[in-house]
Amino acid sequence: MVFKVSIFPLIYGNTTNNLDSVSRWAVGLLVFTALMLVVYLLTVIFTPERF
């Protein structure tokens, strides 16, 4: 929900393209997964003794 409000106006601000709700949720889930992967990898890089 937060991703829809924050990301999609930036992406589709000046276009006439519209995504259906399934595509919006898929893109939001993809962005969320990518951000969590970045957080995990940075954690592993900076504190490797935990893992």
Side-chain angles (χ1 to χ4, degrees):
M1 191 76 165
V2 173
F3 292 116
K4 282 199 303 189
V5 173
S6 63
I7 299 289
F8 283 107
L10 296 174
I11 295 172
Y12 289 100
N14 293 326
T15 64
T16 58
N17 295 338
N18 291 325
L19 290 177
D20 59 348
S21 62
V22 175
S23 296
R24 282 186 231 152
W25 280 104
V27 171
L29 185 63
L30 182 64
V31 168
F32 178 74
T33 304
L35 289 175
M36 290 299 106
L37 183 61
V38 166
V39 168
Y40 171 73
L41 289 176
L42 287 174
T43 303
V44 169
I45 289 171
F46 290 116
T47 59
E49 64 274 358
R50 285 179 159 184
F51 303 95

